C-alpha cells in the first residue's frame, strides 16, 4: 500500500465518524445540485448487493413539485383518517416541504431472484446509509426519515407500486444549527468476541 493510500485511509477513518443526522426542518439552502445528486447516487450504488439485483430505486422530488407531493400526502392521510385535525394535516404537509433536497428511497425487490427478500432489504438499507455518507462527503447534512407516509400504500403508489415499499425519505441540505453528538451505546454492549464452547 502506498503512503498516499495510507493517508487517504487514515483521513477516511477519521471522517466517517464525523457524520451526524440532521433534522429536515433545520435544513436550508444550499442543497445538492442535480449533478451532485447524481454523484451521490452513483457513489451509493457501490452498496453490497447479492446477485447484482440493485433492489432499490431513488426518486428526486424537485422544489416546484413539493406542493403536489403535499397534496398527495394529505389526500392519502384523509382517506385513512377522515376526521384528522388541522395540526395533524399541517405536520403531514410539512414533511413534503422540508429541506432543499428530498429523495424518496424505494425498496424494489426482485421477486424472481433466488436471493432472499431479507437480503435485498438489507441492501436497500445499506444503500440509504451510503447516500447519507456520500452527501456528508460533499459537505451536506442528511436525515433519513420514515413516519406515516412511508407505510401508506397510496403514498407509495405516487412513486411506484407493490411489491415496492418506501424505505424512507432522505432529506439533504445545509443545517442552520450546529449538529451535536447524540447518545450512543457503549461499545462493549454492541461488540463481543466469540468464545466457542469447549468440546469434550
Amino acid at each position: 500500500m502506498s503512503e498516499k493510500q495510507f493517508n487517504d485511509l487514515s483521513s477516511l477513518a477519521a471522517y466517517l465518524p464525523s457524520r451526524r443526522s440532521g433534522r429536515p426542518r433545520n435544513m436550508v439552502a444550499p442543497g445538492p445540485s442535480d449533478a451532485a445528486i447524481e454523484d451521490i447516487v452513483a457513489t451509493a450504488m457501490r452498496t453490497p448487493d447479492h446477485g447484482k439485483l440493485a433492489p432499490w430505486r431513488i426518486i428526486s422530488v424537485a422544489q416546484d413539485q413539493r406542493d403536489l407531493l403535499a397534496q398527495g400526502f394529505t389526500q392519502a392521510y384523509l382517506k385513512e383518517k377522515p376526521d384528522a385535525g388541522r395540526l395533524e394535516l399541517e405536520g403531514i404537509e410539512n414533511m413534503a416541504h422540508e429541506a432543499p433536497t428530498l429523495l424518496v428511497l424505494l425498496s424494489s425487490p426482485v421477486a424472481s431472484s433466488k436471493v432472499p427478500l431479507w437480503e435485498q432489504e438489507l441492501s436497500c438499507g445499506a444503500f440509504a446509509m451510503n447516500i447519507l455518507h456520500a452527501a456528508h462527503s460533499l459537505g451536506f447534512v442528511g436525515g433519513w426519515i420514515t413516519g406515516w407516509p412511508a407505510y401508506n400504500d397510496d403514498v407509495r403508489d405516487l412513486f411506484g407500486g407493490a411489491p415496492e415499499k418506501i424505505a424512507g425519505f432522505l432529506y439533504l441540505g445545509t443545517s442552520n444549527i450546529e449538529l451535536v453528538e447524540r447518545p450512543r451505546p457503549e461499545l462493549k454492549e454492541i461488540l463481543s468476541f466469540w468464545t466457542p464452547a469447549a468440546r469434550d
Side-chain angles (χ1 to χ4, degrees), residues 11-192:
S11 299
L12 184 63
Y15 180 72
L16 289 177
S18 71
R19 196 206 68 82
R20 305 283 185 273
S21 291
R23 294 175 183 263
R25 66 173 177 262
N26 294 329
M27 294 182 195
V28 296
S33 64
D34 287 348
I37 290 172
E38 290 181 358
D39 288 343
I40 288 168
V41 174
T43 298
M45 288 170 61
R46 303 185 73 83
T47 294
D49 173 18
H50 185 189
K52 302 178 181 66
L53 302 176
W56 11 260
R57 290 197 304 120
I58 199 90
I59 299 170
S60 179
V61 182
Q63 277 287 344
D64 61 4
Q65 298 172 323
R66 300 296 189 90
D67 287 343
L68 191 60
L69 180 60
Q71 291 176 22
F73 281 4
T74 300
Q75 290 171 2
Y77 195 77
L78 286 172
K79 180 178 175 181
E80 190 172 302
K81 293 187 66 177
D83 57 348
R86 177 180 58 83
L87 293 180
E88 288 179 84
L89 295 175
E90 286 180 358
I92 292 298
E93 290 178 4
N94 286 342
M95 281 195 71
H97 287 106
E98 291 174 330
T101 300
L102 172 56
L103 305 177
V104 182
L105 174 59
L106 293 173
S107 172
S108 187
V110 180
S112 60
S113 170
K114 294 181 180 180
V115 177
L117 174 62
W118 174 232
E119 290 190 27
Q120 297 186 49
E121 291 174 337
L122 288 172
S123 180
C124 185
F127 183 80
M129 190 67 244
N130 278 341
I131 290 276
L132 296 178
H133 275 306
H136 179 57
S137 74
L138 295 178
F140 299 105
V141 65
W144 178 3
I145 306 298
T146 52
W148 172 85
Y151 301 101
N152 179 271
D153 287 345
D154 288 330
V155 173
R156 185 272 319 278
D157 290 347
L158 297 173
F159 305 101
E164 292 183 317
K165 297 179 182 178
I166 295 177
F169 300 93
L170 300 171
Y171 294 86
L172 308 176
T174 301
S175 182
N176 63 6
I177 63 171
E178 182 179 355
L179 299 180
V180 297
E181 176 65 6
R182 73 177 190 187
R184 310 280 178 180
E186 293 290 332
L187 185 61
K188 63 184 179 182
E189 297 173 0
I190 304 300
L191 174 65
S192 62

